[in-house]
Amino acid sequence: MLKLASRVAALQSSSIMDIAAQAGALKAKGVDVVTLAAGEPDFNTPEEIQVAATKAMAEGITKYTPSAGFNALREAIAEKVTRENGFPVKAEEVLITSGAKHALYFALQTLAEAGDAVLVPTPGWVSYHAMVELTGAQMIPLPIYEEDGFQLNVDRWKGMAIPPNARGILINSPNNPTGVAYSREQLKKFVGWALQRNLWILSDEIYEKILYDGAEHVSIASLGPEVRNHTITVSGFSKSHCMTGWRLGWAIGPADIIKKMSALQSQSISHVTSFVQWAGLTAAKLPASKIDEMVEKFDERRQYCLGRLEKMTEYCSYHRPNGAFYFFVNFSKFLNKVGKSDAEMCKELLSDHHVAIIPGSAFGKEKFVRISYANNIENLKKAFDRIEAYLKK
Ligand code: PMP
Ligand code: GLU
């Protein structure tokens, strides 16, 4: 066996991707699996974006592009963010990346290193931990409380000893896995707290368009020029434009940081696939009504799940989410009674009842599970029927 670099010795693949793959393998064998695992819209990519990609290929947009992305796309994203996210952005402050995931990875590689600590509000998305550790830095979880409805409440962190080597903090709103979109007031307080400690802020806004109950999306970088200089904003088309498999996202930040992230891209993947970038120009102009239609569908599904969860309170408790497409459900009532872990519950649900959901422990919160409702009502009904059968067994 060849000796592995210590950097990857303990590295595991994303548990979400693993569970989604296990569900996919069962499906391929003909098993009727309902997968509420990976958070990805079930709708296909809007037709005009598909057409733009095939047209680009036919016209020879099949060659290398600049590493940071086609200038036209950097400009289009800069315009989009200036118009919609409430802070001015120039093309040189935009890096086109292979999904929001790679933008986060490059940002962390650029900003963190061994000896640093990076703060991550927890529960938090599964890949943050691995990405921070790959830089050599240490991840420090900061608790987000169920009793606060998983809202961002920095007062809770006031008595905590934040180590002097803490350099940055990750923030994600609307949040995966809790489904909470933080309010402007909460974010303003958060920014004050982070700037006081001179932290950089990595703001993951991939669910910025998926909001309910009148919630507004607030970009951290829109909260003033000082915070803008400390913030890298990450987003993309995966969720809002049903483009998960295309791998198209972006990072926005001070030009010197973007330049270094672009150098990393240049020395690794070169750039995002040329015709995918070209189709991004059409995606950037997609009428808002198309996204609204999809969000309405997600909202119907959210309401359906709320109705089903209301009938399961003997086993679990939950909060009404106002963003993304997840329920983060506390099953400790049930799990304590049967003496099982959330991971065991998810494993049994998949193998015996053919429903794929994600254990909360993957997000740093045991006895919870994450249910993605980016699936049609028929499948959601099937999944909840099966979960109920498992609980009542
Ligand atoms: N951040 C969060 C919180 C996510 O849930 C995801 C999953 N899509 C990503 C980033 C990565 O998204 P992308 O598909 O654009 O890489
Ligand atoms: N982000 C999605 C999720 O949380 C997809 C999985 C992934 O990108 O790792 O389910």
Side-chain angles (χ1 to χ4, degrees):
M1 170 91 169
L2 297 177
K3 185 182 173 298
L4 301 179
S6 54
R7 152 180 359 102
V8 295
L11 182 67
Q12 299 288 331
S13 50
S14 154
S15 46
I16 299 176
M17 301 306 261
D18 288 350
I19 292 173
Q22 283 162 23
L26 277 177
K27 258 191 187 167
K29 280 195 209 151
V31 180
D32 171 29
V33 182
V34 186
T35 163
L36 310 182
E40 80 176 327
D42 53 326
F43 312 115
N44 199 359
T45 307
E47 202 178 341
E48 52 267 62
I49 304 173
Q50 300 173 30
V51 170
T54 44
K55 193 158 170 264
M57 271 188 267
E59 288 175 0
I61 314 282
T62 51
K63 309 279 195 283
Y64 291 134
T65 84
S67 280
F70 279 124
N71 214 41
L73 184 56
R74 295 175 83 192
E75 270 167 14
I77 299 301
E79 272 167 32
K80 176 249 170 239
V81 176
T82 304
R83 194 175 58 242
E84 295 178 1
N85 297 65
F87 61 104
V89 177
K90 297 194 206 86
E92 77 233 39
E93 294 165 324
V94 179
L95 176 69
I96 305 300
T97 59
S98 182
K101 206 171 194 173
H102 220 185
L104 291 164
Y105 180 79
F106 282 151
L108 286 164
Q109 287 292 329
T110 303
L111 293 168
E113 63 191 345
D116 293 345
V118 176
L119 310 172
V120 179
T122 302
W125 184 45
V126 296
S127 292
Y128 296 152
H129 190 180
M131 283 194 204
V132 168
E133 296 214 321
L134 279 169
T135 69
Q138 182 199 2
M139 183 196 107
I140 300 193
L142 291 182
I144 296 278
Y145 291 87
E146 188 190 12
E147 303 89 283
D148 297 340
F150 290 118
Q151 300 291 331
L152 183 63
N153 179 1
V154 293
D155 291 338
R156 293 277 204 174
W157 303 338
K158 286 215 166 121
M160 281 183 68
I162 304 293
N165 63 340
R167 300 254 335 266
I169 184 159
L170 259 147
I171 186 91
N172 171 219
S173 178
N175 188 272
N176 177 5
T178 64
V180 176
Y182 303 142
S183 71
R184 183 175 291 274
E185 279 320 300
Q186 287 169 2
L187 287 169
K188 272 191 185 162
K189 257 180 120 170
F190 165 79
V191 160
W193 182 91
L195 292 188
Q196 215 176 23
R197 287 159 182 81
N198 200 26
L199 300 172
W200 48 254
I201 301 172
L202 183 50
S203 182
D204 180 350
E205 303 182 12
I206 187 73
Y207 297 99
E208 61 180 282
K209 299 283 180 206
I210 306 181
L211 297 160
Y212 319 98
D213 298 340
E216 69 162 338
H217 174 66
V218 180
S219 275
I220 295 271
S222 73
L223 296 173
E226 196 195 348
V227 66
R228 195 154 73 231
N229 292 334
H230 280 74
T231 303
I232 309 292
T233 306
V234 166
S235 192
F237 289 126
S238 282
K239 317 289 175 175
S240 53
H241 292 59
C242 311
M243 292 177 72
T244 45
W246 293 64
R247 314 308 302 126
L248 189 57
W250 55 84
I252 291 167
D256 56 333
I257 296 177
I258 291 298
K259 208 167 166 193
K260 285 295 174 195
M261 289 171 63
S262 176
L264 274 174
Q265 179 144 274
S266 160
Q267 298 286 18
S268 53
I269 66 161
S270 292
H271 57 76
V272 176
T273 308
S274 50
F275 45 86
V276 165
Q277 286 189 55
W278 204 252
L281 286 167
T282 302
K285 287 193 222 111
L286 192 75
S289 59
K290 293 240 163 155
I291 300 173
D292 294 346
E293 272 168 35
M294 181 188 67
V295 174
E296 263 171 45
K297 291 250 162 52
F298 286 140
D299 197 11
E300 282 167 23
R301 296 155 178 203
R302 183 182 68 122
Q303 306 288 353
Y304 177 79
C305 295
L306 279 166
R308 294 297 301 254
L309 285 165
E310 245 171 59
K311 298 197 185 92
M312 288 164 56
T313 49
E314 191 187 325
Y315 305 97
C316 65
S317 58
Y318 57 92
H319 288 277
R320 181 189 178 92
N322 63 347
F325 30 60
Y326 306 110
F327 277 90
F328 200 50
V329 186
N330 182 344
F331 269 102
S332 54
K333 269 190 226 170
F334 169 75
L335 291 170
N336 289 341
K337 204 166 92 194
V338 297
K340 287 187 178 156
S341 69
D342 50 305
E344 283 167 325
M345 172 175 171
C346 292
K347 210 168 163 200
E348 290 172 358
L349 273 169
L350 181 57
S351 60
D352 305 343
H353 297 263
H354 307 144
V355 181
I357 55 174
I358 309 292
S361 45
F363 304 90
K365 191 86 183 153
E366 286 177 9
K367 309 265 161 137
F368 280 67
V369 302
R370 189 195 76 175
I371 299 176
S372 160
Y373 53 92
N375 208 326
N376 62 48
I377 302 248
E378 193 189 326
N379 280 335
L380 289 172
K381 178 176 183 314
K382 232 194 241 181
F384 273 99
D385 288 349
R386 292 176 187 183
I387 294 172
E388 269 179 2
Y390 169 78
L391 295 171
K392 288 180 180 157
K393 207 170 51 175

